[in-house]
Amino acid sequence: MMNERKTGYFDYNATTPVDPRVLSEMKPFFSEIFHNPASFYRLAGEARYRVEASRAQIAKLINSHTDEVYFTSGGTESDNMAIMGMVKHLKSKGNHIITSEIEHPAVLNTCKYLEKNGYEITYLTVDQTGQVDPDELIKQITSKTVLVSIMHANNEIGTIQPIKELCQIVHQKEVFFHTDAVQSAGKIAVDVKELDVDMLSLSAHKIYGPKGVGVLFKKRNVKIDPLAFGGGHERGLRPGTENVPGIVGMGKAAELAVEEMDSEAQRLRQMRDRLQKELVNRVPDILINGNTPKRLYNTLNISVRHIEGEAMLAMLDQDGFALSSGSACSSKSTKPSYVLTAIGLSPEDAQGSLRISLGKYSTEEDIDRLLEVFPQVVDGLRKISPFWTE
Ligand SMILES: *Cc1c(COP(=O)(O)O)cnc(C)c1O
């Protein structure tokens, strides 16, 4: 039953199923070891011990110190904490933030809020593969810049930014750097010492952990203000009784990611490349969006010209395939994806886009079945499209 629901699932960048090994680690922490980690007795100590063990598992995934890991409710909160916490702390220094046009809404909408409240935001443009230009970044830094926030890997097209290089530039100007690593963590190496970032966001549900738990990494000597106030949990930065089952699950998910990353990378890259090649062979007039070697190996974003992405999604859904068009967060609106227009797609081509993202439970049979059904779906829709002429 479980497995049946995972067949046809091609939306791993939106969320991932909880790995059964993660689930079994979490289970005791709901009703058996339910105790408040802050309490004095032995079972509370067990809960406390497991929260700290999870912190160590996550520190290992990103090569940080354990006391640099702060638990949050997810990637969105971590992004908010990093940006709002830094601008609050550096209020007297300046009011300028630099980010990119293709960030996740958790970063973009935080910046838009700040823009309405007296902040100046620079949105760096990207090239047709989704890369920001390091020279452009240098030019935009001023004495008023308090933070640069640029994502590690993009959720829609998979572009991987040269974070180490960008961070170096920013540090030369004595400005802090945050990166949203929600999509890269668990897929490619995320080493905070190597990248030298000051803050970094993670989310459990993108790495086969539960929804509603995440992490903000923050370097020991980097100071930010808290956004919430309470009982002093997470060293005063993020108060509230810990989500113990969630945290235990995220730790296990991080441990499994460390173990399985390399073999999964090879397997999924091979599957994605085969899918890409065969789709181009079998479907005339499609575009591969953000096609660069610096791209997540599990992600494939295509535009099928002259038809609507939404129409394809609906047809594919009937055949048991789950994919997305644009980003999940904007999939209720019919506006073309801002990420795709930022890389230079026309609104029409952006409307005809689909994101196919693979993961742990993707199989060769899944790919075969999609390759069989997809050309038929496109064919059917093009026959009734007023924009399509053979
Ligand atoms: C999913 C995602 C987020 C949001 O994480 P949540 O845990 O769902 O809040 C942030 N950034 C990126 C790049 C994402 O893909």
Side-chain angles (χ1 to χ4, degrees):
M1 192 63 186
M2 281 288 282
N3 270 325
E4 212 165 293
R5 300 233 169 129
K6 287 179 208 150
T7 39
Y9 188 70
F10 286 96
D11 206 10
Y12 284 84
N13 286 10
T15 194
T16 60
V18 172
D19 187 302
R21 294 166 290 179
V22 168
L23 184 60
S24 68
E25 294 276 321
M26 291 173 66
K27 271 183 184 158
F29 293 91
F30 287 99
S31 319
E32 293 163 46
I33 311 167
F34 60 86
H35 310 76
N36 192 322
S39 298
F40 180 72
Y41 26 83
R42 191 175 49 81
L43 283 167
E46 171 72 9
R48 193 158 61 237
Y49 171 80
R50 290 302 300 263
V51 167
E52 293 317 308
S54 169
R55 209 184 298 281
Q57 286 165 315
I58 288 150
K60 194 168 173 213
L61 175 68
I62 60 172
N63 192 27
S64 74
H65 300 290
T66 52
D67 63 357
E68 295 172 319
V69 171
Y70 297 85
F71 288 110
T72 68
S73 66
T76 300
E77 188 188 343
S78 299
D79 286 343
N80 274 261
M81 250 172 84
I83 299 169
M84 297 295 289
M86 182 58 82
V87 303
K88 277 204 206 178
H89 191 73
L90 293 182
K91 205 164 54 203
S92 59
K93 187 204 170 194
N95 66 341
H96 179 229
I97 297 169
I98 302 174
T99 186
S100 86
E101 278 188 324
I102 63 164
E103 297 299 309
H104 189 272
V107 167
L108 281 182
N109 288 334
T110 304
C111 289
K112 296 230 171 82
Y113 168 80
L114 287 168
E115 214 168 5
K116 278 193 226 135
N117 287 275
Y119 279 80
E120 275 182 43
I121 316 289
T122 300
Y123 300 93
L124 296 175
T125 56
V126 294
D127 68 15
Q128 59 175 6
T129 69
Q131 297 269 329
V132 304
D133 177 0
D135 293 332
E136 189 54 31
L137 173 58
I138 297 174
K139 277 191 225 147
Q140 297 298 337
I141 300 171
T142 73
S143 60
K144 294 285 174 208
T145 310
V146 289
L147 183 67
V148 175
S149 179
I150 295 173
M151 72 201 315
H152 194 191
N154 183 270
N155 42 303
E156 286 188 44
I157 54 178
T159 304
I160 301 164
Q161 304 292 346
I163 294 300
K164 186 180 174 178
E165 183 190 350
L166 300 176
C167 192
Q168 233 161 19
I169 290 168
V170 169
H171 282 166
Q172 273 161 15
K173 306 266 184 172
E174 292 179 358
V175 173
F176 293 110
F177 194 99
H178 164 255
T179 192
D180 176 331
V182 169
Q183 286 295 340
S184 55
K187 298 190 183 98
I188 58 173
V190 173
D191 180 329
V192 294
K193 293 212 172 72
E194 164 83 10
L195 298 173
D196 200 31
V197 292
D198 300 297
M199 293 182 283
L200 176 143
S201 305
L202 301 173
S203 175
H205 78 94
K206 305 286 173 78
I207 60 167
Y208 310 94
K211 291 161 186 63
V213 57
V215 153
L216 179 67
F217 155 83
K218 182 184 73 62
K219 264 188 197 165
R220 279 173 180 167
N221 59 350
V222 171
K223 301 271 182 292
I224 61 172
D225 281 10
L227 306 186
F229 300 89
H233 311 77
E234 298 297 298
R235 279 145 291 140
L237 205 57
R238 207 284 191 171
T241 302
E242 296 87 342
N243 171 5
V244 180
I247 288 170
V248 168
M250 186 170 183
K252 183 66 182 176
E255 182 188 289
L256 293 172
V258 170
E259 288 167 13
E260 295 171 0
M261 190 151 29
D262 291 347
S263 57
E264 275 298 282
Q266 262 197 316
R267 189 180 77 90
L268 294 177
R269 181 185 297 281
Q270 185 271 326
M271 278 170 58
R272 192 276 312 267
D273 289 349
R274 178 168 82 91
L275 180 61
Q276 176 173 325
K277 191 164 147 256
E278 283 299 317
L279 282 177
V280 171
N281 281 345
R282 295 181 196 198
V283 184
D285 218 3
I286 68 173
L287 308 171
I288 308 297
N289 299 321
N291 193 4
T292 159
K294 291 176 193 128
R295 178 173 56 147
L296 290 177
Y297 53 76
N298 78 315
T299 305
L300 176 57
N301 192 304
I302 61 173
S303 285
V304 183
R305 305 188 88 169
H306 315 295
I307 49 179
E308 293 270 326
E310 307 285 319
M312 286 186 283
L313 284 193
M315 300 282 286
L316 288 165
D317 187 18
Q318 290 188 345
D319 284 311
F321 294 104
L323 317 82
S324 97
S325 72
S327 76
C329 309
S330 59
S331 64
K332 284 218 176 64
S333 72
T334 50
K335 274 204 283 188
S337 145
Y338 62 88
V339 174
L340 296 179
T341 50
I343 64 169
L345 263 71
S346 68
E348 294 74 33
D349 285 342
Q351 293 277 23
S353 75
L354 278 186
R355 178 184 70 185
I356 303 169
S357 49
L358 309 180
K360 205 183 264 197
Y361 307 103
S362 301
T363 61
E364 296 287 355
E365 293 75 56
D366 262 341
I367 303 275
D368 289 338
R369 217 160 61 82
L370 185 63
L371 280 169
E372 194 185 306
V373 172
F374 192 67
Q376 297 166 14
V377 166
V378 171
D379 221 39
L381 287 169
R382 275 179 174 167
K383 281 207 180 92
I384 57 168
S385 164
F387 308 110
W388 174 251
T389 43
E390 297 231 23

